[in-house]
Amino acid sequence: MISDTTIDPITLTVIQAGLEQVCDEMDLVFSRAAFSPIISEADDRSDGIYSAVDGALIAQGARGLPVFTGTMQASTAHIIRLIGEGMVAAPEPGDVYAVNDPYLGGTHLMDVRFATPFWRDGRIFCWLSNVGHWPDVGGAVPGGFSASATEIEQEGLRLPPVKLFKKGVLDREILSIIKSNIRVAEQRIGDITAQAAALRVGAERLAELLDRYGDGTVAGAIAEVRSRAARQMTVMVGTMPEGCYSAIAHIDSDGIDPDPLDIKLSVTRTADNRLVFDFAGSSPPCRGPMNCVLATTHSSVYLALRHIFPDVPLNAGAFEPVDIIGTDGTFLDARYPRPVSGCAAEVSQRIAEAVFLALVEAVPHRVTAAPAGTSGNFVLGGSDPDRGRDFVMYQITGGGYGGYEDGDGISNGCSTIGISKSPPVEITEQTFPVLFREYALAEGSGGAGEHRGGFGLRYTVEILRGDSTASFVMDHNRFGPPGVRGGNDGVPGTIRVHRQGRAVHIPPHLSKEQGLAMKTGDFVEITTPGGGGYGNPFKRDPAKVAGDVALGYYSAAEASKLFCVVIGPDNTVDLPATADLRNSMI
C-alpha cells in the first residue's frame, strides 16, 4: 500500500482523533453490551487498532486500561507470527481469534483477547483487537485468582489463538469447550457477543474514516503520528538530567513462600535521550502466582511513562526511545508453567511504582509518591439458593494516590494500571447475594508529607445467603506505599474475615488467600492502602492539617505526631505551640 506522507497538519490531527474515536466507540459498545458488572460497570476492558505488519499499536481508546497498552500489541504480534509460521489458521473476512495465553503477550488468564483482521480491497489493512476481564475461566477457585497456585493449569483454561468466529459465525464447538471449563458458563455468552460486537462497530467506523480520507492518506497519517510520538518522547526524555536513577519496590509475598519479592530497577537517561530500564538483580521466578510475563513487564513500564508524560500520543512510537533489559532469569519474565494470576493487577503496579520511585528525583514536578498500587482483587464464588444459580463476584477497589509537588494525593483513586473502578454498590447487591455494611474512606491512611497521600477505602461485605468461598490476591498489606522526598509511607491495607460477629481470620500472607469458606452472616472487612506522602511533613501548611482534622481524616493527636501541628479544642491551630513543637524537631 502506498501512503501519502504529505499531509497538512489539520488533516493529520483530524485523522489521529478519528482513529482514537474508533477505539473509544469500541470501548463504549463493549461496556454497554457486556453482561458482567466487571466490564459493564467497572470498564475492565480495552480496545485498539494495530499494525498489519507487526501488531504495533496504532491507537487505543482513552478509556481503555493503560496496562493493556503493551500486551495487546504483543498478543497481536504473536497471532500474526503464528499465522505466518502456519501454527494458526490463516484469516478470512469475518474471522475473530480468541486468546488468553499469558505467554503469548498476555496478562492473566481472565483477560481474554479478541482480534480480527480489518480488510480493504482483499488485503489486511490493520488489526482490531480488544480484551475483557471474564469473571471466571475455571481453575482451582472461582474467579481464577488462585493465591497458592504453583502452575498455570491451576489458574484456569488457557487458550492459544483459535478462531472463535469463522466468517462472522460463532463456532459452537469451541464455545462448548470453553463453557465446559468455566463456572457460570451460561452467562459468558453475553460478554462474548459484546466483545465481538465492539470489533464489528470498530470495523464499520474505521471503514467510514478510510472512505472519507482515502487509504493512502490514512496510512500516511498513521506513519507520521507514530514518528512524531517517537520524537516527542525523545524530547521529553531530554528534559531529564543525564544519569542513572535507581529504586527497589517490594511485593508482600508470592502467596506460598513468606519472603517478599524485590523489583530492582535502574533507569539510565543516555546522552542520546533514550531511557534504559534495567531490572537485573530482581527476585528469581517464584513458586506462587506473582510471576509476571514479559509483555506485562514492558506494558507496566509504558503505563508508568504515560503517567509521567501524558501528552505524548499513545502509539508504538512513544516507546521507541525506551529499552527494557535485565528481566531474564527473574520473576518479571515468566515462562511456562509459572503461575501468573497476580501479574496484571498487582506485579504490574509494583513495576510502575519502581519507575516512579526511580524518576521522582529526575523529574520531581512530574512524579507522585507511590500510590496504593493494588487492584484489591477479591473474588466470592458460590451458590445463591434464592435464585437457584451459581455466581462469581469479582470486586476491585481503589486506594490513595501519592502526594505530589503541588498538592495532596487523590483519595480512593483507581488503580495505577487503569481507569477501572469498583462496580456501584447497588449493582453488586442486586446481582449477588451480598450486602455492603460499610463503604467509606480509610481515614488516616494517607502518608504524612508536605503534601499528604490520598486515603484508601474501607468496606465490609456480608454474605446474605448460601455458602461461598472467598479468594484474595492483593498487595501492599505488608509494606505501605513509599513516601518520597521526606514524606511518610502510606498505611498498608488489611483483610479481616468475621464469623459469627468475631474477627477470626487474617490471611497468613496478609494480602493473599484462596478458597476461604464463607457462610450466611459471615462478612469480610477490607481496607486498601493510602498513598505515600510527598515532602517533609513538618513543612505542611498548619491550616491544611487543621482542615484534615476538622473533616475527621486525622485526630488531633495524629496531627501532633505526624505533622507537628498543635490543634486546639475548637479545631484551630495553636500557632505558638506548633512553632515550638516544630522547632524542637529540627
Side-chain angles (χ1 to χ4, degrees):
M1 179 184 299
I2 299 175
S3 64
D4 183 356
T5 58
T6 57
I7 306 173
D8 67 90
I10 294 177
T11 301
L12 181 67
T13 301
V14 171
I15 292 175
Q16 179 183 356
L19 293 168
E20 294 169 357
Q21 178 61 32
V22 170
C23 301
D24 287 341
E25 192 160 346
M26 285 195 285
D27 280 341
L28 182 62
V29 170
F30 195 175
S31 289
R32 287 282 182 88
F35 181 92
S36 302
I38 193 61
I39 299 174
S40 63
E41 299 291 340
D43 292 332
D44 194 346
R45 51 91 187 104
S46 188
D47 293 80
I49 305 171
Y50 302 86
S51 166
V53 177
D54 58 3
L57 175 65
I58 293 173
Q60 180 173 313
R63 300 289 294 173
L65 268 66
V67 73
F68 296 135
T69 297
T71 58
M72 288 173 67
Q73 70 172 6
S75 62
T76 306
H78 278 294
I79 292 173
I80 294 171
R81 174 183 61 81
L82 292 170
I83 291 171
E85 294 174 356
M87 302 298 292
V88 171
E92 298 183 77
D95 289 349
V96 177
Y97 297 85
V99 57
N100 75 337
D101 190 328
Y103 314 111
L104 294 177
T107 47
H108 50 210
L109 292 174
M110 292 74 78
D111 289 334
V112 183
R113 282 100 65 204
F114 282 13
T116 186
F118 176 79
W119 298 84
R120 293 287 285 185
D121 299 325
R123 300 179 62 184
I124 298 176
F125 182 87
C126 63
W127 284 75
L128 301 177
S129 182
N130 60 14
V131 57
H133 183 115
W134 290 13
D136 187 81
V137 288
V141 295
F145 284 103
S146 176
S148 57
T150 57
E151 57 186 5
I152 191 72
E153 283 79 10
Q154 296 167 357
E155 296 182 321
L157 175 67
R158 182 163 63 104
L159 285 172
V162 293
K163 289 185 180 181
L164 184 55
F165 288 81
K166 296 175 180 176
K167 298 181 180 180
V169 179
L170 179 63
D171 188 313
R172 295 289 172 179
E173 292 182 344
I174 293 178
L175 178 63
S176 67
I177 293 173
I178 294 173
K179 291 174 65 176
S180 296
N181 284 274
I182 65 177
R183 299 171 180 84
V184 290
E186 69 280 357
Q187 298 174 9
R188 291 292 66 73
I189 191 63
D191 297 330
I192 289 172
T193 54
Q195 200 160 348
L199 295 178
R200 287 197 300 273
V201 169
E204 293 171 2
R205 298 297 179 266
L206 184 55
E208 293 170 0
L209 186 70
L210 290 166
D211 289 343
R212 180 176 181 181
Y213 292 100
D215 294 15
T217 298
V218 173
I222 289 170
E224 179 62 19
V225 170
R226 175 171 177 169
S227 176
R228 292 189 180 201
R231 295 198 301 271
Q232 189 170 344
M233 179 61 81
T234 301
V235 170
M236 298 307 296
V237 171
T239 64
M240 296 182 184
E242 187 176 344
C244 184
Y245 308 89
S246 60
I248 300 178
H250 305 285
I251 291 172
D252 291 346
S253 75
D254 71 348
I256 296 178
D257 296 320
D259 297 330
L261 301 173
D262 295 335
I263 298 173
K264 295 184 178 180
L265 173 64
S266 65
V267 185
T268 301
R269 202 281 265 177
T270 65
D272 58 346
N273 294 347
R274 297 189 65 83
L275 284 179
V276 180
F277 294 83
D278 188 350
F279 291 96
S282 297
S283 295
C286 59
R287 290 201 297 157
M290 301 303 281
N291 296 285
C292 191
V293 293
L294 189 59
T296 300
T297 296
H298 283 215
S299 202
S300 304
V301 173
Y302 299 159
L303 76 88
L305 290 176
R306 288 291 297 164
H307 276 270
I308 298 170
F309 302 120
D311 295 330
V312 178
L314 181 56
N315 60 61
F319 314 122
E320 289 180 10
V322 175
D323 299 309
I324 301 172
I325 63 175
T327 58
D328 191 43
T330 75
F331 78 109
L332 304 177
D333 184 8
R335 314 287 177 89
Y336 176 82
R338 298 285 181 182
V340 297
S341 69
C343 136
E346 301 302 320
V347 182
S348 63
Q349 301 196 60
R350 291 288 74 65
I351 295 171
E353 179 180 293
V355 175
F356 298 151
L357 295 176
L359 295 184
V360 69
E361 295 301 326
V363 280
H365 59 294
R366 288 185 172 273
V367 183
T368 71
T374 177
S375 296
N377 305 287
F378 166 38
V379 180
L380 191 70
S383 180
D384 184 344
D386 284 5
R387 297 182 178 180
R389 67 189 187 196
D390 294 338
F391 70 91
V392 177
M393 182 189 91
Y394 174 40
Q395 180 76 7
I396 57 175
T397 46
Y401 265 64
Y404 59 103
E405 190 177 62
D406 295 323
D408 299 335
I410 299 170
S411 293
N412 191 27
C414 65
S415 63
T416 318
I417 60 174
I419 52 85
S420 289
K421 55 190 182 298
S422 299
V425 167
E426 296 83 358
I427 297 296
T428 302
E429 290 178 338
Q430 290 173 13
T431 308
F432 307 108
V434 299
L435 173 70
F436 281 81
R437 298 172 55 162
E438 179 185 33
Y439 199 90
L441 291 181
E443 294 91 346
S445 60
E450 180 178 4
H451 304 292
R452 62 159 173 77
F455 304 115
L457 175 70
R458 183 176 65 251
Y459 71 96
T460 303
V461 181
E462 180 181 353
I463 314 304
L464 291 183
R465 53 189 181 270
D467 295 338
S468 57
T469 59
S471 299
F472 313 91
V473 174
M474 305 179 183
D475 209 63
H476 263 328
N477 285 19
R478 183 194 298 267
F479 309 103
V484 300
R485 302 175 72 80
N488 293 354
D489 295 350
V491 176
T494 61
I495 300 171
R496 292 186 178 88
V497 177
H498 298 250
R499 293 195 177 100
Q500 296 180 346
R502 297 185 299 110
V504 296
H505 185 81
I506 297 174
H509 285 263
L510 301 179
S511 56
K512 299 168 183 68
E513 179 76 280
Q514 77 171 53
L516 194 62
M518 306 290 291
K519 294 185 177 297
T520 301
D522 293 345
F523 60 93
V524 176
E525 178 188 2
I526 292 173
T527 61
T528 64
Y534 188 107
N536 187 341
F538 301 161
K539 292 184 178 181
R540 183 166 178 79
D541 183 349
K544 291 184 177 180
V545 178
D548 285 344
V549 171
L551 291 171
Y553 294 157
Y554 298 101
S555 67
E558 288 172 329
S560 176
K561 178 182 178 181
L562 296 174
F563 301 98
C564 281
V565 173
V566 179
I567 304 295
D570 56 353
N571 280 337
T572 60
V573 180
D574 186 331
L575 293 175
T578 295
D580 290 344
L581 183 58
R582 287 187 166 183
N583 288 334
S584 71
M585 300 301 293
I586 297 177

